[in-house]
Amino acid sequence: MADLRTDFAGIRSPNPFWLASGPPTNTYGQVARAFDRGWGGAVWKTVGEPIVNTYSRYGGIDLGAVRMMGFNNIELITDRPVEDNLREVALLKKRYPGHALVVSLMVESKRETWHDIVRRTEDTGADGLELNFGCPHGMSERGMGSAVGQVPDYTCQIVEWVKEVATTPVIVKLTPNVTDVTYIARAAAQGGADAVSLINSINSIMGVDLDTFHPHPHVAGKGSHGGYCGPAVKPIALNMVAAVAQDARVRIPISGIGGIQTWKDAAEFIALGATTVQLCTAVMHYGFRLIEDLVDGLSNWMDEKGYATLDAWRGRAAPNVVKWEDLNLNYRTIAVIDQAKCIHCGLCYAACEDGAHQAIAIRRRDGARFAESGIGAVRFNGDHRWDVEIIEEACVGCNLCSLVCPVQGCITMQEVATGAAPVTWREYAAGRGKLAPRPEHYVTVA
Amino acid sequence: MRQLAATLPEERYEANFADLAPPLTPDQALGESSRCLFCYDAPCTTACPTHIDVPAFIKMIASGNLRGAAREILDANPMGHSCARACPVEVLCEGACVLNQLHKRPIEIARLQRYATDFALEHRLRLFEPGAATGRRVAVVGAGPAGLACAQDLRRCGHDVVIFEAREFPGGLNTYSIADYKMKPPTALAEARMVLDLGAELRTGVRVGEDVSFEELLEQYDAVFVGVGLGGTRRLGIPGESLHGVVDALSFIEELKLRPKREVAVGRRVVVVGAGNTAIDAATQAKRLGAERVTIVYRRTDADMPAYHYEYELAKADGCEFRWSTLPVRFVGNAVVEAVECVRTQSGRPLPGTEFRLDADMVVLAIGQEPRASLLARIPGVRFQNGRLLADPATGQTSNPRVFTGGDCANGGKEIVNAAADGKRAAAAIHALLRTMPQPVPAGG
Ligand SMILES: Cc1cc2nc3c(=O)[nH]c(=O)nc-3n(C[C@H](O)[C@H](O)[C@H](O)COP(=O)(O)OP(=O)(O)OC[C@H]3O[C@@H](n4cnc5c(N)ncnc54)[C@H](O)[C@@H]3O)c2cc1C
Ligand SMILES: Cc1cc2nc3c(=O)[nH]c(=O)nc-3n(C[C@H](O)[C@H](O)[C@H](O)COP(=O)(O)O)c2cc1C
Ligand code: SF4
């Protein structure tokens, strides 16, 4: 079995799967149960200034029958006293010396206050500190959380204060509610952070009740923007992780967070350069038992690929994320329909005809084309006497039809040789390199 | 037989005996696995006698971890593949699914289970490793579901296992009796091979009690597991039972499973006696072999019928007819059976004066299997209760502390899944027992 052991800025854990700071890491009992079940590490629910939570505090957005495709919360940091938290952290660390236990912190932006909380936290024997500069609601109004994390100078300053006294690794948790996350990551690195973790949750309103006009979630009829997370945010998180991983001015380990639910999600973060991953919403949805497939699925995949350790493939995908202007404009693909698999739903036709490039025709079985242009109504109606057909000379290879097709492997995108040498926009704009002939697909009305 | 049913074109046999529930396509598996709610402490898992963690394996299918899914299943139930094909899931896992309430349609657990285990069988995955050798030796008598399940877990604990099997092939009734449209012999053998791959030795063609005695086994082995299943079909004890054309269900089913279908003799008009699941299997398969008319006679009413509801529905859909409250009293014929003389019953008792005849070219007796009483009586130190081996249901341990039992011979005849659960429980108990025994003197090599 593959070796999943992880060393994250000096913090060791039996596997890269950590619980993110949040409700699942509120108490000793929860984290102990999670470790017993196989989780590699946990970041304790953010400890800091006293707060009071609202009762109603979570919202979800469903995708058809699938619940909680996205999730949000207006919860603040822990509402338990600092002493209780730190006592439990110390007990946990004693009982689980081999697991990673990091404490998330958020206090007033004062040097002494940070010094004090860092010392008290390190007295517990915890393996590291995670500075929560990300919470997008409630705390930011009080000059903490994302109010710090949105300003590079504040971020750098507080990290410096923390590093003045900290003896364990310091992780800075980044907020996605910024224009360019790399600026904040650089500031953290500059301040001396040992690692970064990202993303925290994204500003959001989950919906509006059309009977009462209450936003979701509401507290006595009123709502407030909350932090968006869950499966829906994974693409945003991946992009931010990739950006930070590639930034030459960051160069510190990354813990990837945001929308992870399966081992594949986690593997994608690691392939983009993350050393560990953290989960919150998925655990809130299904419980700690998720760890079984996370560990098993990842190690089976590694065995299959012949990777003995995580380091063997970590970051493999990162160099493949490049600037748009460095993409090869002569790489041509077209859609290919496997007629044997087609169930005649007509979705690809509607998508391409109305939403893309009018490159799919409906062809009668006797060979006559029903519609060649984007003009005129076509009756398709699941009729098996008709086939959809790609008009190759019009297909721009945009992928849309293959994305809407409900049948696995029915529409695939296949490379067609253009015979031309690769050329990027950068080269083309500079007058170097030639574009291969491109589809003439628009019906131009005079 | 007086009149044989006409043979069918080969493709008809193929269609008639194709899998009742065909394998899921990847699209279906994705759709169905995504529909699973991933219940906590799920009722499907509770309902399964081997307590497979159903939501866990289904989520593994959804996440693309087929190997993990197969392992999850076969860890809990070494017979997880045959169970996926043949379990009465309507009364087990799928019957317990919470989506019966919400969607009026449960998750297709059995077909998903087949999807994952097909992958394991096709690739002959090595999902488990034998445990570090303990030097202990266990004899398993019978290579049916109970014996195989027991053998898998004993090998995983590191004990040497020798399986003694009277017949030519392992698998027990999985190989010789399960309706052919549920599972064919090569599948049962592939499943058995996965267990044998763990290093259990299989000795076929050995009848324990005759070719080798239980005493010898107890001398040579530290413990013995007895999973010999049930014996032949019961006799009715009425006149004409030895006429040509009167056959027992097990022999009939075995023949149609092992021989090319066109070579299997089946009457034009068939009467099946009994209304248990075996009777249904005999009736549907007779029909699928080409019998024109298949009539099931049962001395009680449809409400008393022991067959599962969906089996009954299948027989009806196949065009089998049912005669309730009907008792055969005599098979009529001159060397060859021609008719069944019956009498109507009330509360199972014959009503005089209601005699009538059913024409028949073939009669299939399916009124239950006999226990292997005389065989079991040869085991030293065991005791019996109501004709069954007395054993602790939690461990399968008999009155002879080194003899354990499970499966049909212990439970009186249930399903594959119960036999597998029994085998596993016994393996755990045997392992616990062997650990308390003084260390064996290491054999020279
Ligand atoms: C016609 C029929 C259809 C069935 N259909 C289903 C179904 O669809 N689904 C389902 O779940 N269950 C079904 N069952 C029940 C299921 O097959 C049994 O519950 C299960 O096979 C019991 O397993 P076992 O290991 O206890 O016994 P068996 O499968 O009977 O195996 C016992 C083994 O012991 C061997 N043996 C016997 N005596 C000796 C000896 N002296 N020495 C060595 N070996 C010996 C036998 O040859 C046999 O291989 C069906 C049963 C029948 C008869
Ligand atoms: C209810 C809830 C409470 C959270 N509380 C905290 C917190 O106290 N400190 C923190 O750093 N992040 C907190 N988070 C953010 C998560 O740790 C995580 O960064 C975010 O939810 C994205 O990951 P996910 O998609 O796996 O949930 C919270 C998230 C949720 C849903
Ligand atoms: S999950 Fe439900 S029961 Fe638990 S605290 Fe929230 S609202 Fe209450």
Side-chain angles (χ1 to χ4, degrees):
Chain A
M1 191 175 128
D3 183 355
L4 297 185
R5 281 176 303 173
T6 310
D7 181 334
F8 179 71
I11 305 173
R12 286 165 204 276
S13 56
N15 61 54
F17 301 105
W18 292 12
L19 296 169
S21 178
T25 59
N26 254 329
T27 63
Y28 177 95
Q30 288 169 291
V31 178
R33 254 185 293 133
F35 286 168
D36 288 343
R37 199 93 201 211
W39 287 85
V43 182
W44 195 264
K45 172 77 183 170
T46 305
V47 173
E49 304 296 331
I51 58 101
V52 180
N53 269 314
T54 57
Y55 284 100
S56 161
R57 58 182 89 156
Y58 306 148
I61 179 163
D62 305 337
L63 187 65
V66 177
R67 304 221 69 190
M68 273 168 62
M69 178 261 310
F71 185 70
N72 98 340
N73 75 93
I74 53 169
E75 175 173 298
L76 306 182
I77 63 175
T78 183
D79 47 16
R80 309 176 66 206
V82 176
E83 308 72 57
D84 289 1
N85 284 299
L86 296 183
R87 189 181 58 255
E88 292 187 1
V89 167
L91 286 170
L92 259 176
K93 193 60 223 172
K94 213 171 281 164
R95 182 164 152 199
Y96 297 93
H99 290 69
L101 186 58
V102 169
V103 180
S104 171
L105 299 175
M106 183 197 291
V107 290
E108 269 186 299
S109 298
K110 287 194 186 137
R111 190 171 175 214
E112 314 74 63
T113 318
W114 276 104
H115 282 183
D116 178 59
I117 192 75
V118 167
R119 289 201 183 96
R120 289 172 68 192
T121 306
E122 290 196 334
D123 284 345
T124 63
D127 298 302
L129 311 168
E130 187 180 82
L131 313 185
N132 178 352
F133 295 166
C135 190
H137 45 259
M139 306 310 285
S140 48
E141 288 87 325
R142 290 163 59 182
M144 292 174 272
S146 60
V148 174
Q150 286 168 337
V151 184
D153 288 346
Y154 295 173
T155 301
C156 179
Q157 175 69 77
I158 293 179
V159 176
E160 279 172 1
W161 291 340
V162 168
K163 287 297 288 183
E164 283 165 6
V165 292
T167 58
T168 57
V170 174
I171 307 159
V172 173
K173 183 161 179 182
L174 303 174
T175 174
N177 299 314
V178 291
T179 315
D180 184 343
V181 74
T182 55
Y183 285 82
I184 317 294
R186 285 177 202 160
Q190 194 195 336
D194 300 285
V196 287
S197 55
L198 70 164
I199 59 175
N200 210 311
S201 50
I202 306 170
N203 290 337
S204 59
I205 289 173
M206 294 307 271
V208 171
D209 184 319
L210 291 179
D211 294 322
T212 60
F213 292 105
H214 298 160
H216 291 309
H218 77 91
V219 180
K222 303 276 188 281
S224 186
H225 70 82
Y228 195 42
C229 46
V233 311
K234 187 185 96 178
I236 299 170
L238 285 176
N239 176 47
M240 293 192 172
V241 165
V244 171
Q246 285 175 304
D247 194 296
R249 285 191 268 172
V250 182
R251 293 280 169 256
I252 47 179
I254 298 169
S255 187
I257 319 171
I260 299 172
Q261 196 159 30
T262 69
W263 63 269
K264 277 185 181 159
D265 299 329
E268 288 166 19
F269 277 88
I270 296 169
L272 283 173
T275 301
T276 59
V277 291
Q278 302 183 25
L279 289 80
C280 180
T281 304
V283 173
M284 293 179 72
H285 197 159
Y286 296 116
F288 297 130
R289 61 205 162 120
L290 277 183
I291 191 62
E292 278 135 40
D293 187 36
L294 289 171
V295 166
D296 190 59
L298 185 66
S299 67
N300 284 341
W301 172 80
M302 285 171 61
D303 289 346
E304 209 175 282
K305 297 282 179 192
Y307 298 130
T309 64
L310 294 166
D311 286 330
W313 57 280
R314 182 191 320 291
R316 282 276 188 98
N320 294 333
V321 180
V322 298
K323 289 212 177 73
W324 189 93
E325 61 190 15
D326 293 325
L327 299 173
N328 177 7
L329 299 172
N330 281 342
Y331 170 75
R332 181 164 184 216
T333 57
I334 58 167
V336 176
I337 299 175
D338 181 345
Q339 297 294 351
K341 289 189 174 154
C342 176
I343 57 172
H344 299 85
C345 66
L347 284 168
C348 58
Y349 176 77
C352 187
E353 188 68 9
D354 293 354
H357 302 96
Q358 301 81 48
I360 295 182
I362 294 184
R363 181 170 51 88
R364 249 183 5 222
R365 278 279 154 86
D366 60 15
R369 268 186 190 170
F370 199 98
E372 296 243 19
S373 76
I375 302 164
V378 171
R379 305 280 309 179
F380 186 65
N381 212 13
D383 187 335
H384 284 233
R385 286 168 302 175
W386 305 97
D387 283 329
V388 283
E389 178 189 77
I390 302 292
I391 306 168
E392 291 187 7
E393 57 282 15
C395 173
V396 302
C398 72
N399 302 343
L400 180 65
C401 55
S402 73
L403 300 175
V404 299
C405 179
V407 183
Q408 292 180 52
C410 176
I411 305 187
T412 49
M413 302 306 301
Q414 294 184 10
E415 184 175 356
V416 275
T418 56
V423 62
T424 65
W425 173 256
R426 200 199 293 269
E427 292 158 347
Y428 177 67
R432 285 178 285 131
K434 263 178 56 188
L435 286 183
R438 303 175 72 81
E440 280 290 341
H441 61 288
Y442 296 110
V443 177
T444 305
V445 178
Chain B
M1 252 174 255
R2 218 160 54 120
Q3 288 193 55
L4 286 178
T7 52
L8 304 176
E10 201 51 43
E11 60 274 13
R12 280 286 301 284
Y13 289 122
E14 254 167 51
N16 287 354
F17 290 93
D19 285 351
L20 216 48
L24 294 174
T25 64
D27 278 286
Q28 288 175 301
L30 181 68
E32 197 60 10
S33 59
S34 310
R35 208 164 68 86
C36 171
L37 297 180
F38 202 30
C39 296
Y40 175 74
D41 197 12
C44 46
T45 293
T46 309
C48 171
T50 59
H51 305 308
I52 295 174
D53 189 339
V54 174
F57 92 70
I58 292 181
K59 281 297 153 195
M60 287 173 171
I61 293 176
S63 85
N65 179 13
L66 273 189
R67 184 190 178 94
R71 193 182 189 286
E72 187 75 45
I73 295 162
L74 297 171
D75 174 41
N77 180 353
M79 298 290 109
H81 183 76
S82 43
C83 285
R85 290 166 165 274
C87 262
V89 287
E90 288 77 358
V91 297
L92 297 173
C93 54
E94 291 185 16
C97 178
V98 299
L99 289 181
N100 283 305
Q101 300 152 56
L102 190 66
H103 293 169
K104 306 281 174 245
R105 185 164 74 87
I107 298 291
E108 291 195 71
I109 298 169
R111 293 179 78 195
L112 286 167
Q113 183 166 322
R114 167 153 178 212
Y115 187 76
T117 50
D118 267 343
F119 176 76
L121 289 193
E122 267 162 33
H123 296 87
R124 203 169 168 176
L125 294 185
R126 206 183 162 86
L127 294 171
F128 308 104
E129 293 299 324
T134 61
R136 297 292 181 190
R137 290 165 59 75
V138 182
V140 170
V141 186
L148 289 170
C150 185
Q152 168 162 313
D153 280 16
L154 288 171
R155 283 302 298 138
R156 291 177 69 187
C157 293
H159 306 303
D160 282 345
V161 174
V162 179
I163 309 178
F164 296 88
E165 169 55 53
R167 308 206 53 161
E168 189 184 352
F169 297 112
L173 297 178
N174 275 0
T175 302
Y176 292 99
S177 295
I178 299 299
D180 220 41
Y181 46 74
K182 293 182 185 168
M183 181 164 66
K184 298 190 170 43
T187 310
L189 295 181
E191 186 175 48
R193 194 178 58 194
M194 291 266 287
V195 172
L196 298 175
D197 280 349
L198 275 164
E201 185 192 335
L202 174 68
R203 295 188 195 159
T204 52
V206 184
R207 300 197 70 85
V208 173
E210 289 169 25
D211 304 328
V212 52
S213 69
F214 282 104
E215 282 83 357
E216 284 170 83
L217 292 187
L218 281 164
E219 253 165 49
Q220 291 164 16
Y221 295 87
D222 296 298
V224 176
F225 175 78
V226 180
V228 291
L230 294 172
T233 306
R234 286 202 177 86
R235 308 290 289 176
L236 271 171
I238 59 173
E241 219 166 339
S242 52
L243 286 173
H244 187 73
V246 179
V247 301
D248 80 275
L250 289 186
S251 315
F252 170 59
I253 292 171
E254 194 175 309
E255 191 189 353
L256 74 88
K257 285 183 70 71
L258 298 184
R259 302 240 325 253
K261 302 280 184 283
R262 61 173 54 253
E263 290 173 18
V264 181
V266 62
R268 204 164 64 81
R269 290 156 308 175
V270 178
V271 170
V272 176
V273 183
N277 294 311
T278 299
I280 301 268
D281 283 1
T284 53
Q285 292 182 105
K287 197 86 189 112
R288 286 161 187 252
L289 281 170
E292 280 166 34
R293 187 162 185 183
V294 176
T295 310
I296 291 181
V297 297
Y298 181 51
R299 74 194 155 102
R300 294 177 184 276
T301 69
D302 52 351
D304 306 310
M305 168 182 57
Y308 292 116
H309 182 73
Y310 65 92
E311 296 278 14
Y312 172 47
E313 291 297 326
L314 179 70
K316 282 197 297 187
D318 276 2
C320 301
E321 294 162 45
F322 287 78
R323 293 292 189 102
W324 307 115
S325 305
T326 299
L327 181 70
V329 288
R330 191 162 70 93
F331 300 116
V332 188
N334 190 358
V336 176
V337 71
E338 289 170 19
V340 183
E341 192 167 294
C342 302
V343 61
R344 306 280 299 163
T345 62
Q346 192 162 37
S347 316
R349 244 160 296 167
L351 288 175
T354 60
E355 289 80 3
F356 69 100
R357 273 187 180 200
L358 280 174
D359 288 341
D361 304 303
M362 181 181 185
V363 172
V364 183
L365 301 180
I367 49 168
Q369 287 171 263
E370 301 270 12
R372 295 192 192 274
S374 64
L375 173 67
L376 299 176
R378 282 179 228 161
I379 308 173
V382 297
R383 285 192 293 162
F384 290 84
Q385 197 173 44
N386 306 327
R388 274 194 216 166
L389 258 183
L390 189 64
D392 177 351
T395 61
Q397 192 171 36
T398 66
S399 317
N400 180 335
R402 290 201 294 132
V403 177
F404 295 75
T405 185
D408 278 2
C409 71
N411 62 31
K414 286 186 179 169
E415 313 291 339
I416 303 166
V417 67
N418 305 99
D422 283 358
K424 279 183 65 93
R425 271 194 291 268
I430 292 170
H431 180 57
L433 173 77
L434 297 186
R435 281 200 307 192
T436 62
M437 285 185 175
Q439 272 304 307
V441 185

